[in-house]
Short mmCIF file of all heavy atoms in Angstrom, two decimals:
data_model
loop_
_atom_site.label_atom_id
_atom_site.label_comp_id
_atom_site.label_asym_id
_atom_site.label_seq_id
_atom_site.Cartn_x
_atom_site.Cartn_y
_atom_site.Cartn_z
N MET A 1 0.85 -1.18 0.00
CA MET A 1 0.00 0.00 0.00
C MET A 1 0.89 1.24 0.00
O MET A 1 1.95 1.25 0.61
CB MET A 1 -0.90 -0.02 1.23
CG MET A 1 -1.80 1.14 1.32
SD MET A 1 -3.59 0.97 1.24
CE MET A 1 -4.00 -0.70 1.11
N ALA A 2 0.45 2.26 -0.71
CA ALA A 2 1.17 3.52 -0.77
C ALA A 2 0.24 4.66 -0.34
O ALA A 2 -0.98 4.52 -0.39
CB ALA A 2 1.67 3.76 -2.19
N ILE A 3 0.85 5.74 0.07
CA ILE A 3 0.11 6.93 0.49
C ILE A 3 0.30 8.00 -0.59
O ILE A 3 1.43 8.32 -0.96
CB ILE A 3 0.62 7.46 1.85
CG1 ILE A 3 0.56 6.36 2.91
CG2 ILE A 3 -0.17 8.69 2.27
CD1 ILE A 3 -0.83 5.86 3.23
N LEU A 4 -0.80 8.55 -1.06
CA LEU A 4 -0.78 9.61 -2.05
C LEU A 4 -0.68 10.95 -1.34
O LEU A 4 -1.42 11.22 -0.39
CB LEU A 4 -2.05 9.55 -2.89
CG LEU A 4 -2.20 10.54 -4.03
CD1 LEU A 4 -1.04 10.45 -5.01
CD2 LEU A 4 -3.53 10.33 -4.74
N LYS A 5 0.26 11.77 -1.78
CA LYS A 5 0.50 13.08 -1.15
C LYS A 5 0.35 14.19 -2.18
O LYS A 5 0.55 13.97 -3.38
CB LYS A 5 1.92 13.14 -0.59
CG LYS A 5 2.26 12.06 0.40
CD LYS A 5 1.76 12.42 1.75
CE LYS A 5 2.29 11.42 2.78
NZ LYS A 5 2.31 11.97 4.10
N VAL A 6 0.03 15.39 -1.69
CA VAL A 6 -0.09 16.56 -2.55
C VAL A 6 0.49 17.78 -1.83
O VAL A 6 0.34 17.91 -0.62
CB VAL A 6 -1.56 16.82 -2.96
CG1 VAL A 6 -2.44 17.10 -1.77
CG2 VAL A 6 -1.65 17.96 -3.96
N ASN A 7 1.14 18.63 -2.59
CA ASN A 7 1.57 19.93 -2.10
C ASN A 7 0.69 20.95 -2.82
O ASN A 7 0.92 21.27 -4.00
CB ASN A 7 3.05 20.16 -2.40
CG ASN A 7 3.54 21.50 -1.89
OD1 ASN A 7 2.77 22.44 -1.72
ND2 ASN A 7 4.84 21.60 -1.65
N LEU A 8 -0.32 21.44 -2.12
CA LEU A 8 -1.28 22.36 -2.74
C LEU A 8 -0.65 23.69 -3.13
O LEU A 8 -1.16 24.39 -4.00
CB LEU A 8 -2.47 22.58 -1.82
CG LEU A 8 -3.38 21.36 -1.66
CD1 LEU A 8 -4.47 21.64 -0.64
CD2 LEU A 8 -3.99 20.96 -2.99
N GLU A 9 0.46 24.06 -2.50
CA GLU A 9 1.15 25.30 -2.87
C GLU A 9 1.76 25.20 -4.27
O GLU A 9 1.96 26.21 -4.93
CB GLU A 9 2.21 25.65 -1.84
CG GLU A 9 1.60 26.05 -0.50
CD GLU A 9 2.65 26.40 0.53
OE1 GLU A 9 3.82 26.60 0.17
OE2 GLU A 9 2.28 26.47 1.70
N LEU A 10 2.05 23.97 -4.70
CA LEU A 10 2.61 23.77 -6.04
C LEU A 10 1.54 23.57 -7.12
O LEU A 10 1.81 23.81 -8.30
CB LEU A 10 3.55 22.56 -6.05
CG LEU A 10 4.81 22.68 -5.22
CD1 LEU A 10 5.60 21.37 -5.27
CD2 LEU A 10 5.67 23.85 -5.69
N CYS A 11 0.36 23.13 -6.73
CA CYS A 11 -0.70 22.82 -7.69
C CYS A 11 -1.06 24.06 -8.51
O CYS A 11 -1.32 25.13 -7.95
CB CYS A 11 -1.93 22.29 -6.96
SG CYS A 11 -3.29 21.86 -8.08
N GLN A 12 -1.08 23.89 -9.82
CA GLN A 12 -1.43 24.97 -10.74
C GLN A 12 -2.76 24.72 -11.46
O GLN A 12 -3.15 25.50 -12.32
CB GLN A 12 -0.32 25.16 -11.77
CG GLN A 12 1.01 25.54 -11.16
CD GLN A 12 0.97 26.93 -10.54
OE1 GLN A 12 0.54 27.88 -11.19
NE2 GLN A 12 1.38 27.04 -9.30
N GLY A 13 -3.43 23.62 -11.12
CA GLY A 13 -4.74 23.35 -11.69
C GLY A 13 -4.74 22.85 -13.12
O GLY A 13 -5.73 23.02 -13.83
N TYR A 14 -3.67 22.22 -13.56
CA TYR A 14 -3.62 21.69 -14.93
C TYR A 14 -4.63 20.56 -15.15
O TYR A 14 -5.08 20.33 -16.25
CB TYR A 14 -2.22 21.18 -15.26
CG TYR A 14 -1.19 22.27 -15.38
CD1 TYR A 14 -0.30 22.51 -14.34
CD2 TYR A 14 -1.10 23.04 -16.52
CE1 TYR A 14 0.66 23.51 -14.45
CE2 TYR A 14 -0.15 24.04 -16.63
CZ TYR A 14 0.72 24.27 -15.59
OH TYR A 14 1.66 25.25 -15.69
N ALA A 15 -4.92 19.80 -14.10
CA ALA A 15 -5.90 18.69 -14.12
C ALA A 15 -5.45 17.49 -14.94
O ALA A 15 -6.27 16.64 -15.27
CB ALA A 15 -7.28 19.17 -14.57
N ASN A 16 -4.17 17.39 -15.26
CA ASN A 16 -3.68 16.19 -15.95
C ASN A 16 -3.97 14.95 -15.12
O ASN A 16 -4.29 13.89 -15.67
CB ASN A 16 -2.17 16.29 -16.20
CG ASN A 16 -1.81 17.37 -17.17
OD1 ASN A 16 -2.64 18.16 -17.59
ND2 ASN A 16 -0.54 17.45 -17.52
N CYS A 17 -3.83 15.07 -13.82
CA CYS A 17 -4.07 13.93 -12.93
C CYS A 17 -5.52 13.48 -13.00
O CYS A 17 -5.80 12.27 -12.99
CB CYS A 17 -3.68 14.29 -11.49
SG CYS A 17 -4.52 15.75 -10.83
N VAL A 18 -6.44 14.41 -13.08
CA VAL A 18 -7.87 14.09 -13.14
C VAL A 18 -8.18 13.34 -14.44
O VAL A 18 -8.92 12.36 -14.42
CB VAL A 18 -8.73 15.37 -13.03
CG1 VAL A 18 -10.20 15.03 -13.16
CG2 VAL A 18 -8.46 16.09 -11.72
N VAL A 19 -7.60 13.79 -15.53
CA VAL A 19 -7.82 13.14 -16.82
C VAL A 19 -7.32 11.69 -16.75
O VAL A 19 -7.96 10.78 -17.27
CB VAL A 19 -7.12 13.92 -17.95
CG1 VAL A 19 -7.16 13.15 -19.25
CG2 VAL A 19 -7.77 15.28 -18.12
N ALA A 20 -6.19 11.48 -16.09
CA ALA A 20 -5.57 10.15 -16.04
C ALA A 20 -6.22 9.21 -15.03
O ALA A 20 -6.21 8.00 -15.23
CB ALA A 20 -4.09 10.29 -15.73
N ALA A 21 -6.80 9.76 -13.95
CA ALA A 21 -7.39 8.90 -12.90
C ALA A 21 -8.46 9.68 -12.14
O ALA A 21 -8.26 10.11 -11.01
CB ALA A 21 -6.30 8.41 -11.95
N ASP A 22 -9.61 9.84 -12.77
CA ASP A 22 -10.67 10.66 -12.17
C ASP A 22 -11.36 10.02 -10.97
O ASP A 22 -12.16 10.66 -10.31
CB ASP A 22 -11.70 11.09 -13.21
CG ASP A 22 -12.47 9.94 -13.81
OD1 ASP A 22 -12.20 8.78 -13.47
OD2 ASP A 22 -13.37 10.22 -14.63
N ASP A 23 -11.03 8.78 -10.68
CA ASP A 23 -11.57 8.15 -9.48
C ASP A 23 -10.68 8.42 -8.26
O ASP A 23 -11.06 8.13 -7.13
CB ASP A 23 -11.72 6.64 -9.66
CG ASP A 23 -10.40 5.94 -9.95
OD1 ASP A 23 -9.57 6.53 -10.69
OD2 ASP A 23 -10.20 4.83 -9.44
N VAL A 24 -9.52 9.05 -8.50
CA VAL A 24 -8.57 9.32 -7.41
C VAL A 24 -8.38 10.83 -7.22
O VAL A 24 -8.21 11.30 -6.10
CB VAL A 24 -7.20 8.66 -7.71
CG1 VAL A 24 -6.17 8.98 -6.63
CG2 VAL A 24 -7.37 7.16 -7.87
N TYR A 25 -8.43 11.57 -8.32
CA TYR A 25 -8.18 13.02 -8.29
C TYR A 25 -9.41 13.77 -8.77
O TYR A 25 -10.12 13.32 -9.66
CB TYR A 25 -7.02 13.38 -9.22
CG TYR A 25 -5.74 12.62 -8.95
CD1 TYR A 25 -5.41 11.51 -9.72
CD2 TYR A 25 -4.86 13.02 -7.96
CE1 TYR A 25 -4.23 10.81 -9.50
CE2 TYR A 25 -3.68 12.33 -7.74
CZ TYR A 25 -3.37 11.23 -8.50
OH TYR A 25 -2.21 10.53 -8.30
N ASP A 26 -9.61 14.96 -8.20
CA ASP A 26 -10.68 15.86 -8.64
C ASP A 26 -10.15 17.27 -8.48
O ASP A 26 -9.05 17.48 -7.98
CB ASP A 26 -11.94 15.64 -7.80
CG ASP A 26 -13.20 16.19 -8.46
OD1 ASP A 26 -13.12 16.73 -9.58
OD2 ASP A 26 -14.28 16.06 -7.86
N MET A 27 -10.92 18.24 -8.90
CA MET A 27 -10.54 19.65 -8.75
C MET A 27 -11.60 20.36 -7.92
O MET A 27 -12.79 20.10 -8.08
CB MET A 27 -10.43 20.32 -10.11
CG MET A 27 -9.43 19.68 -11.06
SD MET A 27 -7.75 19.62 -10.47
CE MET A 27 -7.25 21.30 -10.70
N ASP A 28 -11.17 21.26 -7.04
CA ASP A 28 -12.13 22.02 -6.25
C ASP A 28 -12.53 23.29 -7.00
O ASP A 28 -12.08 23.54 -8.13
CB ASP A 28 -11.58 22.32 -4.85
CG ASP A 28 -10.40 23.29 -4.82
OD1 ASP A 28 -10.11 23.94 -5.85
OD2 ASP A 28 -9.78 23.40 -3.75
N ASP A 29 -13.37 24.11 -6.38
CA ASP A 29 -13.88 25.32 -7.03
C ASP A 29 -12.79 26.35 -7.30
O ASP A 29 -12.96 27.24 -8.12
CB ASP A 29 -14.98 25.95 -6.17
CG ASP A 29 -16.23 25.09 -6.13
OD1 ASP A 29 -16.43 24.27 -7.05
OD2 ASP A 29 -17.02 25.24 -5.17
N ASP A 30 -11.66 26.23 -6.58
CA ASP A 30 -10.54 27.15 -6.80
C ASP A 30 -9.55 26.63 -7.83
O ASP A 30 -8.53 27.25 -8.09
CB ASP A 30 -9.81 27.40 -5.48
CG ASP A 30 -10.68 28.14 -4.48
OD1 ASP A 30 -11.44 29.03 -4.89
OD2 ASP A 30 -10.59 27.82 -3.27
N GLY A 31 -9.84 25.45 -8.41
CA GLY A 31 -8.98 24.88 -9.43
C GLY A 31 -7.79 24.12 -8.88
O GLY A 31 -6.81 23.93 -9.59
N LEU A 32 -7.86 23.70 -7.62
CA LEU A 32 -6.79 22.92 -7.01
C LEU A 32 -7.20 21.47 -6.89
O LEU A 32 -8.38 21.15 -6.74
CB LEU A 32 -6.45 23.48 -5.62
CG LEU A 32 -5.93 24.91 -5.60
CD1 LEU A 32 -5.71 25.36 -4.16
CD2 LEU A 32 -4.67 25.06 -6.42
N VAL A 33 -6.21 20.60 -6.94
CA VAL A 33 -6.48 19.17 -6.87
C VAL A 33 -7.07 18.78 -5.51
O VAL A 33 -6.73 19.35 -4.47
CB VAL A 33 -5.19 18.36 -7.16
CG1 VAL A 33 -4.16 18.52 -6.06
CG2 VAL A 33 -5.51 16.90 -7.39
N VAL A 34 -7.98 17.83 -5.56
CA VAL A 34 -8.56 17.21 -4.37
C VAL A 34 -8.28 15.71 -4.49
O VAL A 34 -8.54 15.11 -5.55
CB VAL A 34 -10.09 17.44 -4.30
CG1 VAL A 34 -10.71 16.67 -3.16
CG2 VAL A 34 -10.39 18.92 -4.21
N LEU A 35 -7.74 15.13 -3.44
CA LEU A 35 -7.48 13.69 -3.42
C LEU A 35 -8.73 12.97 -2.95
O LEU A 35 -9.19 13.20 -1.83
CB LEU A 35 -6.31 13.36 -2.50
CG LEU A 35 -4.99 14.04 -2.83
CD1 LEU A 35 -3.92 13.63 -1.83
CD2 LEU A 35 -4.56 13.73 -4.25
N LEU A 36 -9.30 12.13 -3.79
CA LEU A 36 -10.48 11.35 -3.43
C LEU A 36 -10.09 10.11 -2.65
O LEU A 36 -10.92 9.52 -1.96
CB LEU A 36 -11.27 10.97 -4.68
CG LEU A 36 -11.72 12.15 -5.54
CD1 LEU A 36 -12.41 11.63 -6.80
CD2 LEU A 36 -12.64 13.07 -4.75
N LYS A 37 -8.82 9.72 -2.77
CA LYS A 37 -8.24 8.60 -2.02
C LYS A 37 -6.83 9.02 -1.61
O LYS A 37 -6.16 9.71 -2.37
CB LYS A 37 -8.10 7.34 -2.88
CG LYS A 37 -9.37 6.77 -3.42
CD LYS A 37 -9.05 5.55 -4.29
CE LYS A 37 -10.27 5.02 -4.98
NZ LYS A 37 -9.95 3.88 -5.84
N THR A 38 -6.41 8.60 -0.46
CA THR A 38 -5.01 8.84 -0.08
C THR A 38 -4.24 7.54 0.05
O THR A 38 -3.02 7.53 -0.03
CB THR A 38 -4.91 9.63 1.24
OG1 THR A 38 -5.62 8.92 2.26
CG2 THR A 38 -5.46 11.03 1.08
N ARG A 39 -4.93 6.45 0.22
CA ARG A 39 -4.30 5.13 0.29
C ARG A 39 -4.50 4.42 -1.04
O ARG A 39 -5.63 4.32 -1.52
CB ARG A 39 -4.87 4.32 1.44
CG ARG A 39 -4.61 4.97 2.81
CD ARG A 39 -5.35 4.28 3.92
NE ARG A 39 -4.96 2.90 4.08
CZ ARG A 39 -4.02 2.47 4.91
NH1 ARG A 39 -3.38 3.32 5.66
NH2 ARG A 39 -3.74 1.19 5.00
N VAL A 40 -3.40 3.95 -1.61
CA VAL A 40 -3.44 3.35 -2.94
C VAL A 40 -3.00 1.90 -2.85
O VAL A 40 -1.89 1.60 -2.40
CB VAL A 40 -2.51 4.13 -3.90
CG1 VAL A 40 -2.52 3.50 -5.28
CG2 VAL A 40 -2.90 5.59 -3.95
N ASP A 41 -3.88 1.00 -3.27
CA ASP A 41 -3.55 -0.42 -3.32
C ASP A 41 -2.50 -0.67 -4.38
O ASP A 41 -2.42 0.06 -5.38
CB ASP A 41 -4.79 -1.26 -3.66
CG ASP A 41 -5.83 -1.26 -2.56
OD1 ASP A 41 -5.44 -1.21 -1.37
OD2 ASP A 41 -7.02 -1.32 -2.89
N GLU A 42 -1.72 -1.72 -4.19
CA GLU A 42 -0.68 -2.07 -5.16
C GLU A 42 -1.27 -2.30 -6.56
O GLU A 42 -0.62 -1.99 -7.56
CB GLU A 42 0.10 -3.29 -4.69
CG GLU A 42 1.06 -2.99 -3.56
CD GLU A 42 2.07 -1.89 -3.88
OE1 GLU A 42 2.67 -1.90 -4.97
OE2 GLU A 42 2.24 -1.00 -3.02
N SER A 43 -2.48 -2.81 -6.63
CA SER A 43 -3.11 -3.06 -7.93
C SER A 43 -3.39 -1.77 -8.72
O SER A 43 -3.47 -1.79 -9.94
CB SER A 43 -4.40 -3.86 -7.75
OG SER A 43 -5.33 -3.13 -6.97
N ASP A 44 -3.53 -0.64 -8.02
CA ASP A 44 -3.77 0.65 -8.66
C ASP A 44 -2.54 1.54 -8.71
O ASP A 44 -2.57 2.62 -9.30
CB ASP A 44 -4.86 1.41 -7.90
CG ASP A 44 -6.25 0.90 -8.18
OD1 ASP A 44 -6.47 0.35 -9.28
OD2 ASP A 44 -7.12 1.05 -7.31
N ARG A 45 -1.47 1.11 -8.09
CA ARG A 45 -0.31 1.98 -7.90
C ARG A 45 0.25 2.54 -9.21
O ARG A 45 0.48 3.74 -9.32
CB ARG A 45 0.79 1.26 -7.13
CG ARG A 45 1.97 2.19 -6.88
CD ARG A 45 3.06 1.53 -6.10
NE ARG A 45 4.12 2.50 -5.89
CZ ARG A 45 4.66 2.75 -4.73
NH1 ARG A 45 4.28 2.10 -3.65
NH2 ARG A 45 5.62 3.64 -4.62
N GLN A 46 0.46 1.71 -10.19
CA GLN A 46 1.08 2.19 -11.42
C GLN A 46 0.22 3.26 -12.09
O GLN A 46 0.73 4.29 -12.53
CB GLN A 46 1.33 1.04 -12.39
CG GLN A 46 2.08 1.50 -13.63
CD GLN A 46 2.51 0.35 -14.51
OE1 GLN A 46 2.28 -0.81 -14.20
NE2 GLN A 46 3.14 0.67 -15.62
N ARG A 47 -1.07 3.03 -12.16
CA ARG A 47 -1.97 3.99 -12.80
C ARG A 47 -2.00 5.32 -12.04
O ARG A 47 -1.92 6.40 -12.64
CB ARG A 47 -3.38 3.38 -12.84
CG ARG A 47 -4.44 4.23 -13.45
CD ARG A 47 -5.75 3.47 -13.49
NE ARG A 47 -6.28 3.19 -12.17
CZ ARG A 47 -7.08 4.02 -11.51
NH1 ARG A 47 -7.47 5.16 -12.06
NH2 ARG A 47 -7.53 3.70 -10.31
N VAL A 48 -2.09 5.25 -10.71
CA VAL A 48 -2.15 6.45 -9.88
C VAL A 48 -0.81 7.19 -9.91
O VAL A 48 -0.77 8.43 -9.98
CB VAL A 48 -2.56 6.09 -8.44
CG1 VAL A 48 -2.48 7.30 -7.52
CG2 VAL A 48 -3.97 5.51 -8.42
N GLU A 49 0.28 6.43 -9.90
CA GLU A 49 1.60 7.06 -9.95
C GLU A 49 1.85 7.71 -11.31
O GLU A 49 2.42 8.81 -11.38
CB GLU A 49 2.68 6.03 -9.65
CG GLU A 49 4.04 6.63 -9.40
CD GLU A 49 4.98 5.66 -8.75
OE1 GLU A 49 4.89 4.44 -9.01
OE2 GLU A 49 5.81 6.13 -7.96
N THR A 50 1.40 7.09 -12.37
CA THR A 50 1.53 7.68 -13.71
C THR A 50 0.75 9.00 -13.77
O THR A 50 1.23 9.99 -14.32
CB THR A 50 1.03 6.70 -14.79
OG1 THR A 50 1.87 5.54 -14.76
CG2 THR A 50 1.06 7.33 -16.17
N ALA A 51 -0.44 9.01 -13.19
CA ALA A 51 -1.24 10.24 -13.14
C ALA A 51 -0.52 11.31 -12.33
O ALA A 51 -0.50 12.48 -12.73
CB ALA A 51 -2.61 9.95 -12.56
N ALA A 52 0.06 10.93 -11.21
CA ALA A 52 0.79 11.89 -10.37
C ALA A 52 1.99 12.46 -11.13
O ALA A 52 2.25 13.67 -11.09
CB ALA A 52 1.25 11.22 -9.08
N LYS A 53 2.69 11.61 -11.85
CA LYS A 53 3.86 12.06 -12.60
C LYS A 53 3.48 12.94 -13.79
O LYS A 53 4.33 13.65 -14.33
CB LYS A 53 4.68 10.86 -13.06
CG LYS A 53 5.42 10.21 -11.91
CD LYS A 53 6.22 9.02 -12.37
CE LYS A 53 6.98 8.40 -11.21
NZ LYS A 53 7.78 7.24 -11.63
N SER A 54 2.22 12.91 -14.19
CA SER A 54 1.77 13.76 -15.30
C SER A 54 1.59 15.21 -14.88
O SER A 54 1.37 16.08 -15.71
CB SER A 54 0.47 13.22 -15.90
OG SER A 54 -0.64 13.49 -15.06
N CYS A 55 1.72 15.48 -13.59
CA CYS A 55 1.57 16.85 -13.07
C CYS A 55 2.78 17.70 -13.47
O CYS A 55 3.89 17.41 -13.03
CB CYS A 55 1.44 16.82 -11.54
SG CYS A 55 1.36 18.47 -10.80
N PRO A 56 2.57 18.74 -14.27
CA PRO A 56 3.69 19.59 -14.69
C PRO A 56 4.33 20.35 -13.54
O PRO A 56 5.48 20.76 -13.62
CB PRO A 56 3.07 20.56 -15.69
CG PRO A 56 1.75 20.00 -16.05
CD PRO A 56 1.33 19.11 -14.92
N ALA A 57 3.60 20.53 -12.45
CA ALA A 57 4.10 21.28 -11.30
C ALA A 57 4.73 20.38 -10.24
O ALA A 57 5.20 20.87 -9.22
CB ALA A 57 2.96 22.10 -10.68
N SER A 58 4.72 19.07 -10.48
CA SER A 58 5.28 18.09 -9.53
C SER A 58 4.67 18.24 -8.13
O SER A 58 5.36 18.15 -7.13
CB SER A 58 6.80 18.21 -9.46
OG SER A 58 7.37 17.95 -10.71
N ALA A 59 3.35 18.44 -8.10
CA ALA A 59 2.65 18.64 -6.83
C ALA A 59 2.18 17.33 -6.20
O ALA A 59 1.71 17.34 -5.06
CB ALA A 59 1.46 19.57 -7.05
N LEU A 60 2.29 16.21 -6.91
CA LEU A 60 1.77 14.93 -6.45
C LEU A 60 2.87 13.88 -6.40
O LEU A 60 3.75 13.87 -7.26
CB LEU A 60 0.67 14.45 -7.39
CG LEU A 60 -0.52 15.39 -7.55
CD1 LEU A 60 -1.29 15.04 -8.81
CD2 LEU A 60 -1.40 15.32 -6.33
N TRP A 61 2.77 12.99 -5.41
CA TRP A 61 3.72 11.87 -5.33
C TRP A 61 3.15 10.79 -4.43
O TRP A 61 2.20 11.02 -3.68
CB TRP A 61 5.08 12.34 -4.85
CG TRP A 61 5.12 12.78 -3.43
CD1 TRP A 61 5.50 12.03 -2.34
CD2 TRP A 61 4.77 14.06 -2.90
NE1 TRP A 61 5.40 12.77 -1.19
CE2 TRP A 61 4.95 14.03 -1.51
CE3 TRP A 61 4.30 15.25 -3.46
CZ2 TRP A 61 4.70 15.11 -0.67
CZ3 TRP A 61 4.04 16.32 -2.62
CH2 TRP A 61 4.24 16.25 -1.25
N LEU A 62 3.74 9.62 -4.53
CA LEU A 62 3.37 8.48 -3.69
C LEU A 62 4.52 8.15 -2.76
O LEU A 62 5.69 8.25 -3.15
CB LEU A 62 3.07 7.24 -4.54
CG LEU A 62 1.76 7.24 -5.31
CD1 LEU A 62 1.70 6.06 -6.25
CD2 LEU A 62 0.59 7.20 -4.37
N GLU A 63 4.18 7.78 -1.54
CA GLU A 63 5.16 7.32 -0.57
C GLU A 63 4.75 5.93 -0.12
O GLU A 63 3.57 5.67 0.09
CB GLU A 63 5.22 8.24 0.64
CG GLU A 63 5.79 9.59 0.36
CD GLU A 63 5.86 10.48 1.59
OE1 GLU A 63 5.46 10.04 2.69
OE2 GLU A 63 6.31 11.63 1.44
N ASP A 64 5.73 5.06 0.03
CA ASP A 64 5.44 3.72 0.56
C ASP A 64 5.03 3.84 2.02
O ASP A 64 5.57 4.63 2.77
CB ASP A 64 6.66 2.81 0.41
CG ASP A 64 6.93 2.45 -1.02
OD1 ASP A 64 5.96 2.24 -1.77
OD2 ASP A 64 8.11 2.40 -1.41
N GLU A 65 4.07 3.02 2.37
CA GLU A 65 3.55 3.02 3.74
C GLU A 65 4.46 2.23 4.63
O GLU A 65 5.11 1.30 4.27
CB GLU A 65 2.15 2.40 3.74
CG GLU A 65 1.43 2.57 5.01
CD GLU A 65 -0.01 2.14 4.89
OE1 GLU A 65 -0.28 1.08 4.30
OE2 GLU A 65 -0.86 2.89 5.36
#
C-alpha cells in the first residue's frame, strides 16, 4: 500500500491527474487538486503514480507506507 501526497502550494490546476485517474483526483472550485483517495492499493499503484507524474508542477507523489 502507498500513500498519495499533494503539495497544494505547487498545484497549478492543470488537471492532468484528473484526466488520467478521475476516481482518485478531482478539482475544487478554486482549481486545485482534491485527493479522493489517499491510500493506494498495489493493484492501482502504477496507474495512480503515472497520473501523479503527469503533473507539470510536480505537486503529487506516492510514498510507501
Side-chain angles (χ1 to χ4, degrees):
M1 180 116 2
I3 304 297
L4 183 57
K5 303 278 188 157
V6 62
N7 181 335
L8 291 175
E9 292 180 14
L10 294 177
C11 180
Q12 298 293 310
Y14 291 102
N16 294 7
C17 57
V18 177
V19 171
D22 65 357
D23 61 322
V24 178
Y25 306 98
D26 199 0
M27 302 300 284
D28 68 12
D29 292 337
D30 294 322
L32 298 177
V33 68
V34 174
L35 302 180
L36 302 176
K37 298 178 186 178
T38 56
R39 297 171 62 94
V40 179
D41 292 326
E42 285 304 314
S43 61
D44 284 332
R45 183 179 181 130
Q46 185 172 358
R47 179 177 66 89
V48 173
E49 192 164 33
T50 297
K53 287 180 179 180
S54 75
C55 176
S58 299
L60 301 162
W61 69 96
L62 286 172
E63 291 181 0
D64 289 322
E65 190 171 45

